[in-house]
Amino acid sequence: MNSLSHHHHPPDNDYGKVFIIGIAFNLGYVGIEAFYGWHVNSLALLADAGHNLSDVAGLILAWLSMLGARLLANHRRTYGWKKGTILASFLNASFLMVAMGMLAWEAIGRFAKETQIQGDVVMWVAAAGVVVNALTAWLFMAGSKNDLNIKGAFLHMTADALVSLGVVLSGALYLQWHWSWLDPVVSILIAALVVMSTWSLFKQSLHLLFDGVPEHIDTKSVALLLTEIAGVISVHDLHIWAISTTENALSAHLVIGDEFDRDLVLKMVTDNLLDYKYIDHITIQLESSRFSKTCLSKHCTSKNI
């Protein structure tokens, strides 16, 4: 078996400081929001405080998984702890949807009773939350485009900003018309919006946890790229999976014509795959036509692509 690999280059930005800033800001805001939510009897503020607390836990989880991914591999864990970033993304999405379900349930219960709130206090506290959460989301914005773990943190903070904005709106409307049902209605609408925005993260992270092909990689295109290389007759047992939220791996068996120089074919395969920017760790097995027939009938797991 011939093994080819090139190393993933981590993003230029170190998000350790960003996580620390985000955790500190949001933890402080949770205390303020919970205090005033209890003081003015606002479900929207209390629910948002609980949601923000779960997000602090989510940020800590994402940060720890990022740190864990940097631990060196060993003979027991040959990829190290990189998969933890995918697990953190999945748990973040799950926590967020559970929190929104609890918020919606509590809001439904509020319809049965009249509740008076201090709209002006609710507005000012929630407005502070818009600033804190929007600022934190902005810090994660760049990294969210290429890293599912960072994307989870970004979505959490963006959702928090939207929730806080909704609370500001409910406080303003309450001051104008004194409708007690506004608070739970806004809470339910926000919960629905957050769940819809989180569903994609949940599906992607669950898919990657079961070694699904990352969505930005087309398996058929990769197989075509390999079969177009001079000397490659066919490809089978092609597997592509995510090692972490930023690194992907590929393994494949290539059937090579007997008349071709294997070293030359291997070099062309290397050059072509290294140009494919989404794949970081590559393992290739070169086979003769005779061996591949035995492999396909007895040992290997998938047919030619």
Side-chain angles (χ1 to χ4, degrees):
M1 179 176 289
N2 299 280
S3 179
L4 319 170
S5 67
H6 67 96
H7 299 290
H8 172 76
H9 298 283
D12 295 334
N13 295 325
D14 181 2
Y15 283 91
K17 293 181 180 178
V18 175
F19 275 112
I20 293 174
I21 293 171
I23 291 168
F25 278 4
N26 282 271
L27 196 57
Y29 179 65
V30 164
I32 295 172
E33 195 172 29
F35 172 78
Y36 280 104
W38 169 79
H39 186 68
V40 301
N41 196 30
S42 170
L43 171 63
L45 279 182
L46 287 172
D48 193 32
H51 171 220
N52 276 312
L53 185 60
S54 71
D55 283 349
V56 170
L59 286 176
I60 293 173
L61 180 64
W63 181 33
L64 290 177
S65 70
M66 185 187 72
L67 295 176
R70 297 176 180 177
L71 295 176
L72 296 177
N74 56 40
H75 69 285
R76 293 287 293 169
R77 295 183 179 85
T78 55
Y79 283 130
W81 295 86
K82 297 178 185 292
K83 204 83 166 184
T85 56
I86 300 175
L87 179 60
S89 303
F90 173 73
L91 292 176
N92 265 330
S94 301
F95 290 159
L96 189 53
M97 289 198 289
V98 169
M100 291 301 97
M102 295 172 63
L103 167 60
W105 180 259
E106 182 64 24
I108 291 172
R110 281 287 180 110
F111 283 114
K113 53 186 177 180
E114 183 109 1
T115 304
Q116 300 297 319
I117 63 173
Q118 292 180 295
D120 55 342
V121 176
V122 170
M123 286 180 61
W124 284 112
V125 174
V130 174
V131 174
V132 169
N133 293 314
L135 177 61
T136 308
W138 176 75
L139 293 174
F140 287 112
M141 183 183 296
S144 68
K145 298 175 183 178
N146 302 312
D147 188 335
L148 202 63
N149 190 35
I150 301 297
K151 182 180 179 180
F154 170 74
L155 284 178
H156 262 114
M157 295 302 100
T158 303
D160 283 352
L162 289 174
V163 170
S164 296
L165 189 61
V167 175
V168 171
L169 177 62
S170 69
L173 293 176
Y174 182 82
L175 285 176
Q176 182 68 31
W177 288 293
H178 297 284
W179 292 337
S180 60
W181 51 265
L182 275 173
D183 194 57
V185 165
V186 170
S187 298
I188 292 173
L189 290 175
I190 291 170
L193 179 63
V194 171
V195 168
M196 287 189 291
S197 65
T198 307
W199 181 245
S200 175
L201 176 65
F202 178 82
K203 285 199 306 180
Q204 287 183 55
S205 56
L206 181 62
H207 177 70
L208 295 183
L209 276 177
F210 286 91
D211 290 332
V213 178
E215 65 172 10
H216 51 277
I217 297 177
D218 182 11
T219 306
K220 291 184 178 180
S221 296
V222 174
L224 181 62
L225 180 149
L226 293 172
T227 53
E228 287 180 340
I229 297 173
V232 177
I233 298 174
S234 63
V235 180
H236 64 92
D237 279 83
L238 174 60
H239 300 286
I240 305 172
W241 69 98
I243 299 173
S244 71
T245 53
T246 58
E247 297 180 61
N248 303 307
L250 174 150
S251 67
H253 294 205
L254 304 184
V255 181
I256 307 299
D258 294 335
E259 70 276 19
F260 287 91
D261 184 288
R262 292 197 169 201
D263 289 340
L264 181 59
V265 172
L266 194 58
K267 182 180 184 305
M268 289 188 290
V269 170
T270 303
D271 292 342
N272 279 268
L273 285 177
L274 293 186
D275 286 338
Y276 197 88
K277 62 181 179 179
Y278 299 120
I279 298 174
D280 306 275
H281 300 270
I282 304 164
T283 302
I284 299 295
Q285 177 167 311
L286 301 181
E287 303 170 354
S288 66
S289 298
R290 185 175 60 182
F291 179 83
S292 68
K293 293 177 182 178
T294 304
C295 180
L296 287 172
S297 63
K298 295 183 179 180
H299 307 299
C300 301
T301 59
S302 61
K303 296 181 180 180
N304 290 8
I305 295 177

mmCIF file of all heavy atoms in Angstrom, residues 182-202:
data_model
loop_
_atom_site.group_PDB
_atom_site.id
_atom_site.type_symbol
_atom_site.label_atom_id
_atom_site.label_comp_id
_atom_site.label_asym_id
_atom_site.label_seq_id
_atom_site.Cartn_x
_atom_site.Cartn_y
_atom_site.Cartn_z
ATOM 1 N N LEU A 182 -47.825 39.219 24.273
ATOM 2 C CA LEU A 182 -46.709 39.492 23.373
ATOM 3 C C LEU A 182 -45.436 38.748 23.790
ATOM 4 O O LEU A 182 -44.698 38.227 22.950
ATOM 5 C CB LEU A 182 -46.419 40.999 23.329
ATOM 6 C CG LEU A 182 -47.233 41.833 22.346
ATOM 7 C CD1 LEU A 182 -46.942 43.302 22.543
ATOM 8 C CD2 LEU A 182 -46.913 41.406 20.913
ATOM 9 N N ASP A 183 -45.186 38.718 25.105
ATOM 10 C CA ASP A 183 -43.965 38.099 25.618
ATOM 11 C C ASP A 183 -43.854 36.634 25.194
ATOM 12 O O ASP A 183 -42.848 36.222 24.601
ATOM 13 C CB ASP A 183 -43.925 38.255 27.139
ATOM 14 C CG ASP A 183 -42.548 37.941 27.725
ATOM 15 O OD1 ASP A 183 -41.576 38.573 27.310
ATOM 16 O OD2 ASP A 183 -42.478 37.059 28.602
ATOM 17 N N PRO A 184 -44.875 35.788 25.439
ATOM 18 C CA PRO A 184 -44.770 34.387 25.015
ATOM 19 C C PRO A 184 -44.807 34.199 23.499
ATOM 20 O O PRO A 184 -44.154 33.298 22.970
ATOM 21 C CB PRO A 184 -45.965 33.706 25.695
ATOM 22 C CG PRO A 184 -46.913 34.798 26.009
ATOM 23 C CD PRO A 184 -46.067 36.002 26.290
ATOM 24 N N VAL A 185 -45.570 35.041 22.804
ATOM 25 C CA VAL A 185 -45.649 34.909 21.347
ATOM 26 C C VAL A 185 -44.284 35.160 20.716
ATOM 27 O O VAL A 185 -43.825 34.404 19.854
ATOM 28 C CB VAL A 185 -46.697 35.881 20.757
ATOM 29 C CG1 VAL A 185 -46.513 36.008 19.244
ATOM 30 C CG2 VAL A 185 -48.102 35.392 21.059
ATOM 31 N N VAL A 186 -43.628 36.232 21.146
ATOM 32 C CA VAL A 186 -42.300 36.540 20.630
ATOM 33 C C VAL A 186 -41.322 35.415 20.973
ATOM 34 O O VAL A 186 -40.476 35.031 20.155
ATOM 35 C CB VAL A 186 -41.801 37.891 21.186
ATOM 36 C CG1 VAL A 186 -40.330 38.095 20.853
ATOM 37 C CG2 VAL A 186 -42.627 39.036 20.625
ATOM 38 N N SER A 187 -41.449 34.849 22.172
ATOM 39 C CA SER A 187 -40.565 33.754 22.581
ATOM 40 C C SER A 187 -40.725 32.547 21.658
ATOM 41 O O SER A 187 -39.738 31.931 21.257
ATOM 42 C CB SER A 187 -40.873 33.343 24.025
ATOM 43 O OG SER A 187 -40.643 34.414 24.914
ATOM 44 N N ILE A 188 -41.957 32.210 21.307
ATOM 45 C CA ILE A 188 -42.220 31.067 20.425
ATOM 46 C C ILE A 188 -41.692 31.327 19.017
ATOM 47 O O ILE A 188 -41.073 30.450 18.400
ATOM 48 C CB ILE A 188 -43.726 30.755 20.385
ATOM 49 C CG1 ILE A 188 -44.190 30.225 21.751
ATOM 50 C CG2 ILE A 188 -44.043 29.735 19.291
ATOM 51 C CD1 ILE A 188 -45.689 30.040 21.859
ATOM 52 N N LEU A 189 -41.909 32.529 18.508
ATOM 53 C CA LEU A 189 -41.423 32.869 17.174
ATOM 54 C C LEU A 189 -39.897 32.804 17.110
ATOM 55 O O LEU A 189 -39.321 32.293 16.143
ATOM 56 C CB LEU A 189 -41.905 34.268 16.778
ATOM 57 C CG LEU A 189 -43.407 34.412 16.507
ATOM 58 C CD1 LEU A 189 -43.753 35.880 16.236
ATOM 59 C CD2 LEU A 189 -43.820 33.542 15.325
ATOM 60 N N ILE A 190 -39.255 33.294 18.151
ATOM 61 C CA ILE A 190 -37.789 33.264 18.201
ATOM 62 C C ILE A 190 -37.296 31.821 18.260
ATOM 63 O O ILE A 190 -36.335 31.446 17.571
ATOM 64 C CB ILE A 190 -37.277 34.056 19.415
ATOM 65 C CG1 ILE A 190 -37.528 35.554 19.219
ATOM 66 C CG2 ILE A 190 -35.795 33.796 19.651
ATOM 67 C CD1 ILE A 190 -37.281 36.390 20.452
ATOM 68 N N ALA A 191 -37.958 30.994 19.079
ATOM 69 C CA ALA A 191 -37.559 29.587 19.195
ATOM 70 C C ALA A 191 -37.649 28.885 17.840
ATOM 71 O O ALA A 191 -36.746 28.126 17.455
ATOM 72 C CB ALA A 191 -38.447 28.882 20.218
ATOM 73 N N ALA A 192 -38.735 29.153 17.098
ATOM 74 C CA ALA A 192 -38.907 28.533 15.779
ATOM 75 C C ALA A 192 -37.812 28.979 14.819
ATOM 76 O O ALA A 192 -37.253 28.171 14.065
ATOM 77 C CB ALA A 192 -40.288 28.878 15.216
ATOM 78 N N LEU A 193 -37.484 30.264 14.852
ATOM 79 C CA LEU A 193 -36.446 30.798 13.973
ATOM 80 C C LEU A 193 -35.084 30.185 14.284
ATOM 81 O O LEU A 193 -34.333 29.807 13.375
ATOM 82 C CB LEU A 193 -36.387 32.321 14.121
ATOM 83 C CG LEU A 193 -35.334 33.053 13.278
ATOM 84 C CD1 LEU A 193 -35.627 32.864 11.792
ATOM 85 C CD2 LEU A 193 -35.310 34.540 13.623
ATOM 86 N N VAL A 194 -34.774 30.058 15.548
ATOM 87 C CA VAL A 194 -33.477 29.499 15.950
ATOM 88 C C VAL A 194 -33.368 28.026 15.549
ATOM 89 O O VAL A 194 -32.330 27.573 15.057
ATOM 90 C CB VAL A 194 -33.258 29.661 17.466
ATOM 91 C CG1 VAL A 194 -32.024 28.895 17.927
ATOM 92 C CG2 VAL A 194 -33.121 31.133 17.822
ATOM 93 N N VAL A 195 -34.450 27.262 15.748
ATOM 94 C CA VAL A 195 -34.441 25.843 15.376
ATOM 95 C C VAL A 195 -34.215 25.681 13.875
ATOM 96 O O VAL A 195 -33.433 24.825 13.426
ATOM 97 C CB VAL A 195 -35.753 25.156 15.808
ATOM 98 C CG1 VAL A 195 -35.871 23.769 15.165
ATOM 99 C CG2 VAL A 195 -35.806 25.017 17.326
ATOM 100 N N MET A 196 -34.890 26.504 13.080
ATOM 101 C CA MET A 196 -34.723 26.417 11.622
ATOM 102 C C MET A 196 -33.300 26.742 11.199
ATOM 103 O O MET A 196 -32.739 26.100 10.308
ATOM 104 C CB MET A 196 -35.714 27.358 10.927
ATOM 105 C CG MET A 196 -37.155 26.865 10.961
ATOM 106 S SD MET A 196 -38.263 27.862 9.918
ATOM 107 C CE MET A 196 -38.281 29.412 10.823
ATOM 108 N N SER A 197 -32.690 27.723 11.840
ATOM 109 C CA SER A 197 -31.326 28.110 11.476
ATOM 110 C C SER A 197 -30.296 27.099 11.964
ATOM 111 O O SER A 197 -29.186 27.014 11.424
ATOM 112 C CB SER A 197 -31.000 29.500 12.040
ATOM 113 O OG SER A 197 -30.981 29.478 13.455
ATOM 114 N N THR A 198 -30.655 26.311 12.974
ATOM 115 C CA THR A 198 -29.716 25.348 13.558
ATOM 116 C C THR A 198 -29.810 23.978 12.901
ATOM 117 O O THR A 198 -28.893 23.164 13.013
ATOM 118 C CB THR A 198 -29.983 25.197 15.074
ATOM 119 O OG1 THR A 198 -29.982 26.496 15.675
ATOM 120 C CG2 THR A 198 -28.928 24.353 15.764
ATOM 121 N N TRP A 199 -30.891 23.708 12.189
ATOM 122 C CA TRP A 199 -31.136 22.382 11.634
ATOM 123 C C TRP A 199 -30.013 21.930 10.697
ATOM 124 O O TRP A 199 -29.590 20.774 10.698
ATOM 125 C CB TRP A 199 -32.472 22.359 10.907
ATOM 126 C CG TRP A 199 -32.821 21.023 10.333
ATOM 127 C CD1 TRP A 199 -32.950 20.687 9.020
ATOM 128 C CD2 TRP A 199 -33.072 19.808 11.063
ATOM 129 N NE1 TRP A 199 -33.270 19.356 8.881
ATOM 130 C CE2 TRP A 199 -33.351 18.801 10.114
ATOM 131 C CE3 TRP A 199 -33.091 19.491 12.423
ATOM 132 C CZ2 TRP A 199 -33.638 17.486 10.488
ATOM 133 C CZ3 TRP A 199 -33.384 18.173 12.792
ATOM 134 C CH2 TRP A 199 -33.649 17.193 11.833
ATOM 135 N N SER A 200 -29.510 22.864 9.890
ATOM 136 C CA SER A 200 -28.433 22.529 8.954
ATOM 137 C C SER A 200 -27.178 22.083 9.697
ATOM 138 O O SER A 200 -26.542 21.092 9.316
ATOM 139 C CB SER A 200 -28.122 23.738 8.066
ATOM 140 O OG SER A 200 -27.012 23.477 7.241
ATOM 141 N N LEU A 201 -26.811 22.800 10.756
ATOM 142 C CA LEU A 201 -25.646 22.427 11.558
ATOM 143 C C LEU A 201 -25.840 21.052 12.180
ATOM 144 O O LEU A 201 -24.922 20.227 12.210
ATOM 145 C CB LEU A 201 -25.399 23.469 12.649
ATOM 146 C CG LEU A 201 -24.271 23.162 13.637
ATOM 147 C CD1 LEU A 201 -22.927 23.137 12.925
ATOM 148 C CD2 LEU A 201 -24.257 24.189 14.777
ATOM 149 N N PHE A 202 -27.038 20.787 12.668
ATOM 150 C CA PHE A 202 -27.345 19.491 13.291
ATOM 151 C C PHE A 202 -27.167 18.361 12.275
ATOM 152 O O PHE A 202 -26.509 17.350 12.548
ATOM 153 C CB PHE A 202 -28.775 19.509 13.830
ATOM 154 C CG PHE A 202 -29.222 18.210 14.443
ATOM 155 C CD1 PHE A 202 -28.876 17.891 15.746
ATOM 156 C CD2 PHE A 202 -29.985 17.306 13.712
ATOM 157 C CE1 PHE A 202 -29.281 16.680 16.312
ATOM 158 C CE2 PHE A 202 -30.390 16.109 14.275
ATOM 159 C CZ PHE A 202 -30.039 15.798 15.573
#
